[in-house]
RNA sequence: GGUCGCGUAGCUCAGUUGGAUAGAGCAUCUGCCUUCUAAGCAGACGGUCAGAGGUUCGAAUCCUCUCGCGAUCACCA
């Protein structure tokens, strides 16, 4: 039982004794910094049941608690707030329990299994900043869910088929001259992306030609020879045409190799890849079953629909009149497939908020089909990453390329580190690894610290900060702590039970105490931002402690040991929470 | 037009069961390296919480309306 629960019971008892009233609920909050105290009882809500004034009530309860609970040192009352000061012993006991707990804050057992999908790239172009946000968010949420006590499988769905890849393939055939990643020296995804752009250019030329011939825009777009050729190529692919399938495999493989390189640099990974070419036919039989159950209905033209007007939504098509699948069909089938493959009891889809409606409908359909795990589906809907000029568009070249961005961040980290020149004794390889950790830390923290739902405005002209509320600031604090631990060449392992805490030390312990509930809250809300902000608060407290209190310089042995222990624990929690964000921490910087 | 989301300091963001005088970082300004790493610390400046009503002891937070921004509403993905 934590303090709040214990106090809650005691407050109820106090009120019963003093006023003969059974309280419905007891409300606590952390004491604000400007007042003395560690936890505060809000007495306003009690006034509904107890006829007295808030100050008298606070005094009465305060007195009762001090007498009955040895962990309470004293109290003060301000208006309807009873500020309670807990004894040092209480904090020392808590710290003693966690100081050697390597798993502090994280669950050690798995209650249930779920899957997190956090990437769904098209194989016709390289990854950009939008994908980075998607990847980082999903990876982090997967880690947070695992820490909160779930078995987690990470997956991506690769959109490897469709008209988009055919466009790249066609352009490669026409303009490629047999170019490969090897001959061109280009990363495979970049090479294929270039041909996508070339296709678009040729397509646009044909459209303007047709417009000049007097066609309408719609006609021109539909009749341009190159788009018809691409559609023909898609038909051939679906028919299993050998030559087309061969080219498709080759170019997709180039892209996969390129993606893998980017994922590795980003530090994200997957337990299982699903490919759309394998899943795009799934779901049709489920639609048939749903028809029989009456969940869906067939229109005269043969198309199949679901009526969601009762839920305030529209009618939605689930099968075309020619019997082919739409995206929804596929997603229904894939979801069922995944549950079978992994025996999971739920899924998190990390997909941009432009698809809010799609997932609302998907989840509803799966519920109506009677899958009990449909209750545990969650769309982790994140805001778009926009540029000052507006939306990123691959075809118009207004994208922030993922690889380029990672490289720029690393370069900035290199520049700053070299200016500061604190890395004597590091080899070139060690330095490069460090620049990568810092650069990536800055990028990841920058993206993860904001609420997933909010859109991010990324200005390429203004570089990402390395000072203040940033990844490097937190990494720097970790490195400082490690420096202290390297210098603490004495045994500081024994628990310290009798000690007078100063204000900074107490603040730090209180912040450490919040870690487990922060992890749980972040899991419930699918929000790495909560972990990021928690860590920032912890680090700010530590830096204040570090700068205002001497750690190794003190004469008092107990004090010295305790401060080293405290520093070590703070370092461990920084490392632990940054692992949840997918950010590494350095020994020096 | 319907639906959903967002609107907090010049800029980027916290503020999650409704609680005390709305908090950080960046930018600007002032101090602090002869002590454990100054990517730091201590401080100053900066607010009509988009606006108007309502709910109540109390609202940035809950409800209604208005304004602004974005997304979505296809036999597209």
């Amino acid at each position: 039982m934590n303090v709040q629960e214990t106090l809650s019971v005691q407050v109820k008892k106090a009120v019963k004794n003093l006023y003969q009233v059974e309280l419905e609920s007891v409300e606590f909050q952390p004491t604000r910094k400007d007042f003395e105290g560690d936890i505060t009882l809000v007495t306003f809500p009690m006034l509904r049941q107890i006829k007295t004034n808030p100050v008298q009530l606070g005094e009465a309860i305060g007195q009762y608690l001090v007498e009955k609970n040895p962990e309470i040192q004293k109290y003060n009352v301000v208006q309807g707030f009873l500020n309670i000061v807990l004894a040092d012993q209480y904090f020392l006991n808590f710290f003693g329990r966690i100081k050697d707990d390597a798993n502090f804050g994280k669950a050690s057992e798995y209650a249930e299994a779920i899957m997190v999908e956090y990437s769904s790239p098209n194989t016709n172009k390289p990854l950009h900043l939008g994908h980075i946000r998607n990847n980082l968010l999903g990876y982090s949420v997967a880690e947070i869910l695992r820490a909160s006590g779930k078995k987690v499988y990470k997956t991506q769905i690769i959109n490897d088929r469709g008209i988009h890849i055919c466009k790249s393939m066609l352009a490669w055939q026409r303009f490629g001259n047999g170019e490969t990643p090897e001959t061109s020296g280009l990363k495979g995804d970049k090479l294929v992306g270039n041909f996508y752009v070339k296709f678009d250019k040729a397509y646009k030329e044909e459209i303007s030609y047709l417009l000049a011939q007097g066609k309408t825009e719609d006609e021109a777009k539909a009749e341009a020879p190159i788009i018809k050729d691409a559609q023909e190529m898609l038909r051939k692919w679906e028919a299993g045409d050998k030559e087309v399938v061969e080219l498709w495999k080759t170019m997709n493989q180039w892209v996969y190799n390129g993606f893998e390189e980017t994922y590795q640099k980003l530090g994200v990974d997957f337990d299982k890849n699903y490919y759309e070419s394998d899943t795009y036919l799934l779901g049709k039989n489920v639609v048939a079953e749903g028809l029989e159950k009456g969940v869906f209905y067939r229109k005269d033209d043969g198309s199949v629909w679901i009526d969601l007007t009762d839920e305030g939504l529209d009618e939605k098509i689930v099968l075309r009149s020619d019997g082919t699948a739409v995206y929804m069909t596929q997603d229904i089938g894939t979801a069922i497939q995944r549950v079978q493959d992994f025996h999971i009891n739920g899924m998190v889809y990390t997909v941009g908020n432009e698809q809010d409606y799609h997932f609302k409908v998907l989840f509803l359909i799966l519920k109506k089909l009677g899958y009990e795990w449909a209750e545990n589906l969650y769309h982790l809907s994140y805001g778009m990453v926009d540029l000052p000029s507006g939306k990123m568009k691959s075809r118009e070249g207004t994208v922030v390329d993922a690889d380029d961005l990672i490289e720029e961040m690393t370069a900035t980290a290199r520049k700053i580190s070299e200016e500061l020149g604190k890395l004597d004794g590091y080899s070139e390889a060690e330095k490069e690894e460090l620049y990568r950790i810092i650069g990536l830390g800055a990028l990841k923290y920058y993206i993860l610290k904001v609420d997933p739902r909010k859109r991010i405005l990324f200005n390429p002209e203004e570089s990402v900060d390395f000072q203040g509320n940033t990844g490097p600031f937190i990494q720097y604090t970790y490195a400082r702590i490690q420096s202290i631990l390297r210098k603490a060449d004495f045994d500081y392992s024994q628990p310290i039970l009798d000690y007078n805490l100063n204000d900074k030390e107490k603040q730090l312990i209180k912040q450490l105490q919040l870690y487990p509930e922060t992890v749980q809250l972040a899991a419930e809300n699918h929000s790495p931002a909560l972990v990021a902000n928690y860590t920032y608060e912890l680090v700010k407290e530590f830096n204040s402690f570090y700068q205002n209190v001497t750690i190794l310089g003190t004469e008092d042995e107990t004090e010295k040991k305790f401060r080293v222990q405290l520093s070590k624990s703070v370092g461990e929690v920084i490392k632990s929470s940054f692992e949840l964000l997918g950010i590494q921490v350095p020994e020096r910087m």
Side-chain angles (χ1 to χ4, degrees):
Chain A
M1 202 155 38
N2 64 32
V3 233
Q4 190 162 323
E5 286 162 344
T6 313
L7 286 175
S8 188
V9 172
Q10 288 174 334
V11 167
K12 281 185 181 172
K13 224 180 258 178
V15 168
K16 198 176 176 194
N17 284 349
L18 297 166
Y19 301 97
Q20 290 77 48
V21 169
E22 292 278 356
L23 278 182
E24 291 152 6
S25 67
V26 185
E27 196 178 317
F28 290 99
Q29 65 188 51
T31 306
R32 286 182 63 111
K33 285 225 171 103
D34 349 314
F35 300 92
E36 190 191 14
D38 302 305
I39 187 163
T40 293
L41 172 71
V42 187
T43 60
F44 289 113
M46 302 178 180
L47 298 173
R48 234 164 292 161
Q49 290 177 270
I50 304 165
K51 298 295 163 212
T52 179
N53 75 62
V55 177
Q56 271 177 16
L57 180 59
E59 286 289 344
I61 296 174
Q63 229 162 51
Y64 181 95
L65 290 178
V66 164
E67 280 166 27
K68 304 281 173 175
N69 189 336
E71 287 191 325
I72 296 175
Q73 197 191 343
K74 52 183 175 174
Y75 69 90
N76 63 80
V77 177
V78 182
Q79 299 171 45
F81 300 94
L82 170 60
N83 301 318
I84 297 167
V85 180
L86 297 168
D88 285 354
Q89 199 56 52
Y90 163 76
F91 293 105
L92 291 170
N93 286 344
F94 163 77
F95 183 67
R97 282 200 303 280
I98 67 140
K99 107 182 159 61
D100 298 314
D101 180 0
N103 239 357
F104 174 59
K106 296 183 177 176
S108 48
E109 283 176 18
Y110 301 136
E112 54 184 299
I114 61 163
M115 178 171 273
V116 179
E117 174 193 298
Y118 68 86
S119 199
S120 45
N122 289 347
T123 58
N124 62 329
K125 55 188 180 223
L127 304 174
H128 58 66
L129 181 51
H131 296 107
I132 288 187
R133 186 178 199 191
N134 187 316
N135 292 169
L136 297 181
L137 252 180
Y139 177 88
S140 177
V141 166
E143 293 300 313
I144 289 167
L145 287 170
R146 179 175 295 145
S148 80
K150 288 185 164 68
K151 172 80 183 154
V152 176
Y153 298 100
K154 297 182 275 194
T155 193
Q156 60 172 333
I157 175 98
I158 301 171
N159 293 308
D160 60 346
R161 54 140 243 132
I163 192 70
H164 53 80
I165 180 69
C166 287
K167 288 177 180 175
S168 288
M169 285 156 62
L170 192 71
W172 183 85
Q173 279 184 334
R174 299 242 169 122
F175 319 118
N177 300 318
E179 214 177 6
T180 69
E182 287 74 30
T183 63
S184 65
L186 278 176
K187 223 164 139 266
D189 52 336
K190 297 277 159 58
L191 181 67
V192 172
N194 288 347
F195 286 109
Y196 187 68
V197 173
K198 282 186 180 136
F199 175 94
D200 199 57
K201 194 162 160 261
Y203 183 30
K204 283 203 171 114
E205 280 166 12
E206 290 186 4
I207 290 174
S208 14
Y209 177 77
L210 289 172
L211 285 174
Q213 304 275 308
K215 302 272 187 190
T216 67
E217 193 166 341
D218 284 349
E219 283 168 351
K221 277 184 179 168
E223 292 171 20
I226 197 166
I227 191 74
K228 299 198 104 171
D229 289 346
Q231 283 160 351
E232 176 56 22
M233 193 178 239
L234 180 59
R235 268 189 291 278
K236 280 186 177 170
W237 180 87
E238 283 178 1
D241 180 278
K242 215 175 151 196
E243 196 190 336
V244 170
V245 169
E246 208 45 50
L247 177 60
W248 173 78
K249 279 187 183 163
T250 303
M251 290 184 71
N252 267 338
Q253 193 55 52
W254 293 347
V255 175
Y256 299 153
N257 294 346
F259 283 174
E260 191 47 40
E261 200 181 316
T262 306
Y263 286 145
Q264 248 174 34
K265 276 192 276 183
L266 259 189
V268 302
D269 54 27
F270 304 94
D271 298 306
K272 162 90 178 173
N273 294 339
Y274 284 91
Y275 296 87
E276 200 193 316
S277 55
D278 292 329
T279 63
Y280 82 109
L281 294 175
L282 290 176
K284 284 195 193 183
N285 52 347
V286 183
V287 169
E289 286 168 30
L291 260 175
E292 278 174 34
K293 285 192 206 164
V295 175
F296 305 126
Y297 67 94
R298 195 185 288 277
K299 284 195 177 172
D300 292 340
D301 62 6
S303 56
V304 180
W305 296 71
I306 185 163
D307 183 359
L308 298 170
T309 47
D310 286 351
E311 338 284 330
L313 304 174
D314 296 328
E315 297 181 331
K316 190 86 187 171
I317 191 162
V318 292
L319 210 58
R320 292 195 186 99
S321 53
D322 63 3
T324 57
V326 291
Y327 219 165
M328 191 63 76
T329 328
Q330 195 184 136
D331 278 355
I332 294 168
T334 306
I336 295 166
Q337 182 72 49
R338 287 172 174 176
V339 170
Q340 283 169 1
D341 289 350
F342 286 89
H343 305 100
I344 45 176
N345 188 38
M347 263 182 278
V348 174
Y349 293 86
T350 315
V351 180
N353 62 11
E354 53 198 356
Q355 295 200 38
D356 284 355
Y357 187 74
H358 175 79
F359 282 101
K360 208 182 253 183
V361 172
L362 174 65
F363 297 167
L364 221 89
I365 290 176
L366 288 166
K367 267 177 213 169
K368 282 179 181 282
L369 286 171
Y371 296 101
E372 69 279 7
W373 44 262
E375 300 295 328
N376 304 319
L377 298 174
Y378 183 80
H379 175 203
L380 173 49
S381 162
Y382 62 88
M384 296 289 104
V385 182
D386 292 328
L387 304 174
S389 55
K391 250 187 124 148
M392 286 194 275
K393 292 207 174 95
S394 305
R395 275 176 298 192
E396 289 165 26
T398 60
V399 288
V400 176
D401 179 78
D403 298 312
D404 291 351
L405 183 57
I406 293 170
E407 188 43 54
E408 280 165 30
M409 297 298 297
T410 307
T412 306
R414 182 181 302 121
K415 182 166 165 281
I416 295 173
S417 294
E418 281 170 355
E419 277 168 14
L420 294 172
K422 299 183 189 176
L423 298 175
D424 291 344
Y426 261 29
S427 71
E428 282 310 307
E430 283 171 321
K431 284 182 184 170
E432 280 306 315
E433 171 66 359
L434 179 63
Y435 302 151
R436 198 187 62 81
I437 290 175
I438 298 171
L440 222 47
L443 176 62
K444 291 184 175 185
Y445 189 87
Y446 174 82
I447 287 172
L448 290 175
K449 77 170 177 185
V450 323
D451 188 314
R453 281 170 305 181
K454 293 192 175 174
R455 79 174 195 142
I456 290 182
L457 193 77
F458 182 84
N459 190 345
E461 304 302 316
E462 299 167 14
S463 53
V464 172
D465 274 327
F466 281 63
Q467 280 169 358
N469 187 359
T470 67
F473 167 67
I474 292 166
Q475 290 172 321
Y476 175 69
T477 305
Y478 180 84
R480 272 177 154 181
I481 292 171
Q482 300 320 302
S483 173
I484 287 175
L485 297 181
R486 280 193 296 272
K487 287 182 178 158
D489 54 352
F490 51 90
D491 180 14
Y492 52 82
S493 61
Q494 90 197 65
I496 285 155
L497 299 169
D498 188 21
Y499 180 69
N500 277 329
L501 291 168
N502 71 31
D503 185 51
K504 301 283 182 197
E505 293 161 345
K506 197 166 159 184
Q507 288 302 330
L508 271 177
I509 296 179
K510 279 203 247 179
Q511 189 63 24
L512 287 175
Q513 220 166 3
L514 293 175
Y515 184 51
E517 53 194 88
T518 301
V519 173
Q520 288 305 322
L521 201 62
E524 283 162 28
N525 290 284
H526 301 86
S527 175
L530 297 177
V531 174
N533 286 315
Y534 164 81
T535 312
Y536 176 61
E537 290 300 323
L538 176 67
V539 161
K540 258 202 313 186
E541 288 292 351
F542 182 82
N543 277 322
S544 176
F545 164 73
Y546 177 91
Q547 211 96 12
N548 290 291
V549 175
T550 181
I551 299 167
L552 297 172
T554 175
E555 294 298 314
D556 185 316
E557 284 304 309
T558 307
E559 194 166 79
K560 195 195 284 189
K561 282 179 190 170
F562 179 74
R563 288 177 181 168
V564 173
Q565 286 176 5
L566 190 55
S567 302
K568 180 163 176 275
S569 285
V570 169
E572 280 163 3
V573 170
I574 291 172
K575 186 175 185 179
S576 168
S577 63
F578 258 34
E579 270 168 15
L580 298 181
L581 300 179
I583 304 177
Q584 292 176 272
V585 286
E587 296 302 306
R588 288 173 55 181
M589 72 184 270

